[in-house]
Amino acid sequence: MTIPVNHKTQLLLTAAATAFTTYSLLSIYQSRSRQKRRNDLAEGIKRSLSEQTSSNRIQPSPSSLLPAPGTEYAEHLVREQLARNYAFLGEEGVARVRGSSVVIVGCGGVGSWAAVMLARSGVARIRLIDFDYVTLSSLNRHATAGLADVGTPKVQCVARALQGIAPFVRVDPRVELWRSGTDGADLLEGADWVVDAIDNIGTKVELLAYCVRNNIKVFSSMGAGTKSDPTRIQIADLSATHYDPLARAVRQRLRAVLSRSSPPTPPSGPDTDSDPDALSPSSTASEYSIPVVYSTEVPGDVALLPLADAELAKGSVDELAPLRDFRVRILPVLGPLPALFGLHIATYVLCELAGRPLERPLPVRHRKKLYERMWKDLLHRESRIARKQINALPLTQTDIALLYDDFALGRSIVPPQAACVRPALVRWDSRLPLSLENCVVAEFKEAERAVRSVFATPQDGENRDDGIPTTAPPPNDYVDALGEPIDSALLLQGYVPTSPEELWGIEAAKIAQNRIAQARRFREWALQ
C-alpha cells in the first residue's frame, strides 16, 4: 500500500522534532551540570579563603618513610634513595662519599645549593657555618628558605631541609662567623673538603690561607653577583682565573698573606696578574692548588643598591656594617646564578670524594687574544717551514679553540701533559697539510723543537747548513700547511729529521692518535 506523500512528510517532521527535543534536553542537562560543578568549586574556594587557619596553606603529605624520632633510617631505604649514585659511582665510590665529611662556610645562595646536593648525594657529615639570618631579599636565590624562615639563622634553615631530604646525613649547624685561630680550627676539624661560599673577601682570604697552611682541601666560590650568563661559568685553579675582579683580588691578597708565613719562591712563568691571558701562574701560586668556580663574564654596570637617606643618617656606611669590612648594601644578584655556582661546587667535590675526580677541568674559554696569538704563532711557524710567506691557514680561531680547549684540555701533548705556560700549535705529520686532524698542542719551546727536529727547519737566525754532518738524503715528500711540496734543497742540510714519536715518545704518539681520532669524529659529526 502506498503512503501518501503528505503522510511521509509528516513522519519525517515528527522524527526531526523528536531528535531536536532530545538534543536540546541533553544540552540543557550538561550545561546545568557544568554550572553546578562551577558553583560548587566557587563555594569551596570561598569557604577555604574565609577560614583563617593553617589549613589554608598547602601541607606536605605525611610520609611513612620518615624515621620515628630516635630511630635509624633503614639501610635498604638509604640504598634505594642513592640507587642512581650507586649506578654512576659504583659501590666503592658511594662508600667513599658516605664516609666523608664536608664543611660549608657560608650558607647563602651558593652554599645552600651546594649543601642540598651534597646531602642528596649521601655525604655522611655536613657542618654548616654562617652567622647571618634569612631575609626577604634572600628568597630570590636561597635553596631552602621560605617566608616562614625569614628572621631565622641560615644554617638552621638549611639544616631542617637537609634532615627532611636525607635523614641519614648528620648535619651540624653553627651560627658562627669563621675566624682563624683555635675556634676556626675546631670548626674545620675532620673535614675531607671545605666549601668556601663566603661573600666577604677578608674572611674568604683568611679561610683559604688557613686551609693552604694546614693541607685542607678547599673549593672556593668567587661570587655570582652581577653575573647573568650561565655559559661563562668555569671551574679552574685560582691561579688560572681570568676576567674576574674578585678572583684577582683574592689571588693577590692570598699571595701576600701566605708570603708573610713562608719564604717566597721565584716565579718560573708569567705572572697572571700582569698578563690576563696567561694560563699558568708563578710557581708560588701554583704550590697551593685551590679549585674555584667563577665566571668569565665581563662585569656589567650593575652596582650595590644605594642606602636610604634614613639609613645614611645613622652614620657612615662602615659603621652600619654588622661586622667590620662587611657589606651593608644589597648586591644585585640574578637568582639562578648562585644556584649554578653551588651545583658546580657540589659536583666537583662529590667526584673528588668518590675517587673519580674531574679529568683536568676545561680551562677558561672566550680568550680571543689567546687564540689570536696562537694563530699568529702558527702562521709564522708554518711560513718558516714552507720557506715562504703564508698569508692564510686552513684553521680558524674557532678551530684553534676546539683544538686547545676541547681536544687538548689546555694541556701539552708532551708527557706529563702539564698545563701550558705558553701554548703553541704545531703540525704532527710533516707529510700532510695542516688540519684539525693534523695539529697538536704543545708548550712553545716544544713546538720550536719540533720545527727543527721533525720539519728540518732552521730556527730563526740559524743557517740551514748548521745540521749534523750526514750522508743521508733530505726527505722529498714534505709539504707545507696548504699541502704544497717543499723543495728538499731548502731543508736543513746534513740533518736527519726525526719523527714526532721519536722526539716526544710513544705516550705522546698515543695521545696524538686519540686526539686525531677525536677531531675526525667531530668533523664527521659537524658535517652531518
Side-chain angles (χ1 to χ4, degrees):
M1 163 178 141
T2 303
I3 300 176
V5 175
N6 59 347
H7 187 57
K8 287 182 178 181
T9 302
Q10 184 178 5
L11 289 175
L12 289 172
L13 291 173
T14 301
T18 302
F20 177 76
T21 302
T22 303
Y23 174 77
S24 299
L25 291 173
L26 183 61
S27 297
I28 293 171
Y29 172 77
Q30 292 176 338
S31 176
R32 289 183 176 179
S33 296
R34 287 195 297 269
Q35 184 63 44
K36 185 177 185 303
R37 286 197 296 270
R38 284 197 294 268
N39 291 339
D40 290 343
L41 180 61
E43 288 298 323
I45 292 174
K46 289 179 181 179
R47 285 195 302 272
S48 178
L49 292 175
S50 64
E51 294 173 0
Q52 301 298 320
T53 66
S54 60
S55 61
N56 288 332
R57 297 183 180 179
I58 299 175
Q59 300 293 332
S61 301
S63 174
S64 59
L65 298 178
L66 289 172
T71 62
E72 296 268 335
Y73 193 57
E75 176 61 19
H76 73 277
L77 295 178
V78 178
R79 294 187 67 88
E80 176 64 22
Q81 188 165 337
L82 300 177
R84 298 176 189 273
N85 293 63
Y86 277 105
F88 191 92
L89 298 173
E91 193 79 29
E92 184 179 348
V94 177
R96 289 170 178 263
V97 173
R98 293 186 62 186
S100 63
S101 174
V102 176
V103 175
I104 299 176
V105 187
C107 292
V110 174
S112 62
W113 284 97
V116 165
M117 291 314 302
L118 289 172
R120 288 185 184 275
S121 301
V123 171
R125 297 173 297 281
I126 298 177
R127 177 170 292 154
L128 308 169
I129 303 172
D130 199 319
F131 74 95
D132 207 359
Y133 287 68
V134 176
T135 64
L136 276 173
S137 66
S138 304
L139 303 188
N140 82 314
R141 63 196 182 279
H142 203 273
T144 64
L147 285 171
D149 299 301
V150 172
T152 63
K154 290 180 178 179
V155 294
Q156 293 180 3
C157 167
V158 176
R160 281 195 299 269
L162 298 191
Q163 288 300 299
I165 293 168
F168 51 88
V169 175
R170 288 171 51 193
V171 184
D172 178 16
R174 301 292 188 94
V175 188
E176 297 183 42
L177 172 69
W178 190 90
R179 290 293 194 195
S180 61
T182 303
D183 292 340
D186 292 342
L187 289 173
L188 303 186
E189 185 178 1
D192 295 298
W193 272 90
V194 172
V195 172
D196 159 37
I198 303 172
D199 286 338
N200 174 258
I201 188 172
T203 309
K204 180 182 290 288
V205 170
E206 203 174 343
L207 175 64
L208 296 180
Y210 181 88
C211 290
V212 168
R213 292 189 186 110
N214 293 277
N215 280 331
I216 300 173
K217 294 180 180 178
V218 59
F219 193 113
S220 181
S221 168
M222 287 298 112
T226 74
K227 305 296 177 67
S228 61
D229 187 349
T231 67
R232 302 297 183 94
I233 300 174
Q234 303 286 334
I235 292 177
D237 191 86
L238 174 61
S239 58
T241 52
H242 302 270
Y243 314 134
D244 187 281
L246 177 59
R248 179 186 177 93
V250 169
R251 184 168 61 245
Q252 292 173 336
R253 290 178 63 167
L254 179 62
R255 187 175 298 164
V257 169
L258 291 174
S259 66
R260 292 198 295 267
S261 59
S262 60
T265 304
S268 61
D271 187 349
T272 52
D273 292 330
S274 60
D275 180 5
D277 289 319
L279 297 177
S280 186
S282 68
S283 60
T284 303
S286 62
E287 286 176 357
Y288 25 92
S289 177
I290 301 176
V292 301
V293 58
Y294 76 111
S295 172
T296 63
E297 183 179 354
V298 177
D301 55 0
V302 292
L304 294 172
L305 293 184
L307 282 174
D309 292 340
E311 292 295 316
L312 287 174
K314 298 177 183 178
S316 67
V317 173
D318 291 339
E319 293 171 353
L320 297 176
L323 293 167
R324 187 168 176 263
D325 296 331
F326 273 72
R327 187 176 63 239
V328 296
R329 292 181 292 167
I330 295 175
L331 178 70
V333 176
L334 193 62
L337 267 293
L340 292 175
F341 273 53
L343 299 181
H344 275 66
I345 294 173
T347 303
Y348 185 96
V349 171
L350 180 62
C351 290
E352 288 282 338
L353 290 172
R356 294 185 56 175
L358 298 182
E359 281 274 340
R360 300 180 304 230
L362 185 68
V364 58
R365 297 191 65 128
H366 308 287
R367 292 172 291 199
K368 186 177 178 181
K369 290 181 181 178
L370 173 65
Y371 302 144
E372 288 176 352
R373 185 177 68 195
M374 292 175 70
W375 189 90
K376 289 177 181 178
D377 284 348
L378 180 60
L379 180 66
H380 176 66
R381 194 169 293 117
E382 287 294 345
S383 294
R384 285 164 47 208
I385 292 171
R387 278 70 171 183
K388 63 181 181 181
Q389 180 60 41
I390 295 178
N391 297 318
L393 293 173
L395 291 180
T396 65
Q397 288 186 24
T398 301
D399 293 329
I400 290 176
L402 277 170
L403 284 165
Y404 181 72
D405 284 327
D406 294 285
F407 300 162
L409 300 178
R411 305 281 171 152
S412 170
I413 195 172
V414 182
Q417 286 84 51
C420 295
V421 174
R422 184 178 176 184
L425 297 172
V426 64
R427 256 193 300 158
W428 177 258
D429 192 335
S430 57
R431 294 167 173 83
L432 294 175
L434 183 68
S435 67
L436 271 178
E437 293 91 334
N438 191 31
C439 190
V440 295
V441 174
E443 188 61 66
F444 184 84
K445 290 185 290 186
E446 293 292 345
E448 289 301 303
R449 277 183 61 200
V451 169
R452 191 183 197 281
S453 302
V454 178
F455 293 89
T457 299
Q459 303 288 358
D460 287 336
E462 181 183 14
N463 190 288
R464 69 185 183 90
D465 295 322
D466 291 341
I468 302 171
T470 179
T471 57
N476 57 10
D477 55 354
Y478 279 16
V479 299
D480 63 19
L482 305 178
E484 297 293 329
I486 298 175
D487 186 352
S488 59
L490 299 175
L491 300 178
L492 192 63
Q493 298 300 301
Y495 183 78
V496 179
T498 185
S499 68
E501 292 89 344
E502 293 171 322
L503 177 65
W504 291 329
I506 299 300
E507 185 180 351
K510 290 179 180 178
I511 294 172
Q513 294 306 316
N514 288 336
R515 292 182 185 173
I516 289 169
Q518 187 178 9
R520 187 178 298 115
R521 287 193 300 270
F522 173 80
R523 188 181 292 279
E524 291 171 354
W525 169 78
L527 294 177
Q528 291 296 325

